[in-house]
Amino acid sequence: MGGRTRGTARRPGRLLGSWLVLLAFGAPAAAQSPAVDVPFIISEAQRVQQADVDAWTRYRFRRRAERQEIGESGEVLRHEILEFQVTPREDGFDEELLRQDGEEPRRDEKERARGVGSFAKRYRAMISGVGREEAEGGYSLGLLLHLSSYRYAGLEEREGVACYRLDFFPDDARPPEGGVARKVASAMKGSLWIAREGFHVAAARAETVRPIPFALSLAKVHEVQVSLDSGPVGEGVWLPRRIEMQTRARILFKPIRRWNLYVYSDFLRQPPPG
């Protein structure tokens, strides 16, 4: 990019890898807005976000995962809805499948879902920074915030909460490198809304601005759109309420279109183990 504008921050930082670490990067060294200290907002959000990540292990909650595979003409090829009760335990999470496509699951389906441990695996990805496209919607956002420039865009309300809005853009000065996720992140733009009181991530929106080839150009990600909305669950903790992700890609000659929606509700603080 060319010259920097006041109120813009750039952050190289290390990857933490999922939507829950959207702001887990150090404070960028950049000029500050006369009215808003952007690096300070980033730094505080990093600290608060890590505390929110840790808080997952203290709450029982409902998790609804809805997935669609979509054909070239827009027809739905596969549609699945799974509803879980997720309860933290000392060695991770217990995931009880409550409903599958609107019906009570069979015992073998419940055991299979519990054995897969989808949320537990995604939580480990959040902590370790090792994630995939399916890792609970938003690996690209986590990476994006390490690869982009940031500009203060004013104060806005999100569901009655006063927020700092930070816009971000592809960092064209930094060539894309690494795996598919890094390359996708390097081609995204969007916005973050950070609560003015508490510095929690209230919302995020991101989308790609150009196709991204990978695997020696044998495959290409044509489009990715990600959105996140979160809110307070008690004790000064904010956790997600809704994550939505749409992807359109092609591997060899096969087109792939997917839509994923994750909804979280009924958070209940659990007593400490033991």
Side-chain angles (χ1 to χ4, degrees):
M1 289 189 177
R4 304 294 299 278
T5 59
R6 297 178 67 86
T8 300
R10 178 174 293 171
R11 166 60 181 161
R14 69 180 181 89
L15 167 66
L16 293 182
S18 98
W19 76 264
L20 279 177
V21 287
L22 292 177
L23 293 170
F25 47 84
Q32 298 177 7
S33 164
V36 174
D37 187 340
V38 174
F40 175 75
I41 296 173
I42 297 296
S43 178
E44 286 298 290
Q46 172 191 7
R47 177 183 59 80
V48 171
Q49 185 66 31
Q50 185 57 58
D52 286 343
V53 170
D54 294 341
W56 275 108
T57 61
R58 303 199 301 269
Y59 286 85
R60 188 179 71 188
F61 56 93
R62 296 286 290 266
R63 173 177 174 266
R64 182 174 183 267
E66 185 170 357
R67 304 163 185 165
Q68 289 183 357
E69 292 185 8
I70 304 170
E72 288 190 85
S73 302
E75 71 276 19
V76 177
L77 304 177
R78 183 183 176 211
H79 187 190
E80 179 183 57
I81 303 176
L82 304 176
E83 298 178 53
F84 295 88
Q85 180 83 39
V86 183
T87 305
R89 59 189 187 190
E90 289 189 38
D91 60 344
F93 296 89
D94 177 71
E95 302 176 50
E96 180 186 1
L97 180 62
L98 303 178
R99 307 284 289 178
Q100 181 168 321
D101 296 327
E103 298 181 358
E104 184 175 350
R106 301 188 308 268
R107 178 177 296 181
D108 64 309
E109 292 172 330
K110 283 191 169 190
E111 291 305 313
R112 184 167 59 249
R114 179 175 274 119
V116 169
S118 297
F119 181 80
K121 292 180 180 178
R122 288 168 169 84
Y123 182 78
R124 287 194 293 271
M126 297 171 199
I127 298 299
S128 67
V130 179
R132 303 177 301 167
E133 175 184 334
E134 297 84 6
E136 210 71 354
Y139 73 86
S140 53
L141 281 174
L143 282 166
L144 180 65
L145 298 175
H146 300 284
L147 302 173
S148 301
S149 299
Y150 305 88
R151 183 178 65 213
Y152 175 64
L155 286 175
E156 294 185 0
E157 282 200 0
R158 304 289 300 189
E159 297 187 6
V161 177
C163 296
Y164 300 107
R165 174 177 163 179
L166 301 181
D167 292 344
F168 52 84
F169 311 90
D171 187 351
D172 296 326
R174 182 188 300 271
E177 57 184 18
V180 177
R182 283 187 177 274
K183 291 180 179 180
V184 171
S186 71
M188 297 188 85
K189 69 174 183 178
S191 300
L192 297 173
W193 288 266
I194 301 171
R196 189 174 181 180
E197 293 186 11
F199 296 96
H200 300 273
V201 180
R205 301 288 184 270
E207 62 181 353
T208 49
V209 298
R210 56 177 177 266
I212 307 100
F214 60 98
L216 300 177
S217 297
L218 297 176
K220 180 179 288 187
V221 175
H222 289 275
E223 181 182 10
V224 176
Q225 296 181 4
V226 183
S227 67
L228 156 74
D229 294 285
S230 63
V233 299
E235 301 179 310
V237 172
W238 284 46
L239 291 175
R241 292 174 175 167
R242 188 179 191 276
I243 302 171
E244 182 177 5
M245 187 171 187
Q246 300 181 59
T247 59
R248 184 168 62 89
R250 181 176 292 274
I251 299 178
L252 294 177
F253 300 104
K254 180 182 179 181
I256 297 174
R257 291 182 63 187
R258 292 175 180 165
W259 174 80
N260 294 274
L261 175 65
Y262 303 95
V263 178
Y264 305 86
S265 63
D266 300 335
F267 289 94
L268 181 63
R269 179 72 161 89
Q270 297 297 285

